[in-house]
Amino acid sequence: MNIISTKIVANRKPHKCNACGRSFGKGSKMEVTAISDSGYVFNWRNCTTCTELLNKHQEVFADEMDHTYDEFCVLTAMSDYYDAESPEDLLEQLNAKKNYKNSTK
């Protein structure tokens, strides 16, 4: 898997976030990463909240074998591992947990 480019764009039409599955309308800002893998090229789109989650808390979401993310990984973490009602709620919980760990060192 190779990352070709990553950029922040304003949607020209509605798109779903690949990490949480929520829909974002025209004009919404999203991070778009162009990826090539096994001869295929595709885009991975994240909303701003999921971009922050995946960047700050990679250990929660990244696959242990190849350090990639599965589609709807944030949605899965919200329902299976945390009692979070939204990606924003999950971000708040993980930030608090990380801050607690840092304060006890």
Side-chain angles (χ1 to χ4, degrees):
M1 182 177 86
N2 296 314
I3 294 176
I4 299 168
S5 67
T6 299
K7 59 186 174 180
I8 304 293
V9 301
N11 288 345
R12 288 185 274 170
K13 62 181 186 176
H15 287 282
K16 284 194 175 194
C17 174
N18 287 105
C20 70
R22 296 184 296 175
S23 292
F24 292 86
K26 182 178 177 181
S28 298
K29 302 273 187 204
M30 297 187 86
E31 180 185 75
V32 179
T33 302
I35 300 169
S36 67
D37 190 19
S38 303
Y40 295 96
V41 176
F42 59 95
N43 287 329
W44 176 277
R45 290 179 180 268
N46 289 332
C47 66
T48 55
T49 302
C50 288
T51 296
E52 187 175 351
L53 274 164
L54 297 175
N55 288 336
K56 281 186 172 179
H57 303 285
Q58 291 178 8
E59 71 283 356
V60 174
F61 304 102
D63 181 279
E64 293 176 9
M65 297 295 286
D66 57 8
H67 305 290
T68 60
Y69 304 114
D70 292 329
E71 192 166 30
F72 305 125
C73 58
V74 170
L75 186 63
T76 301
M78 284 170 42
S79 62
D80 291 354
Y81 307 111
Y82 297 90
D83 187 24
E85 299 201 9
S86 68
E88 290 79 10
D89 187 28
L90 179 60
L91 179 61
E92 190 176 306
Q93 287 182 33
L94 291 173
N95 284 343
K97 186 176 178 181
K98 195 172 223 177
N99 289 338
Y100 176 77
K101 282 183 179 178
N102 289 339
S103 70
T104 59
K105 287 184 179 181

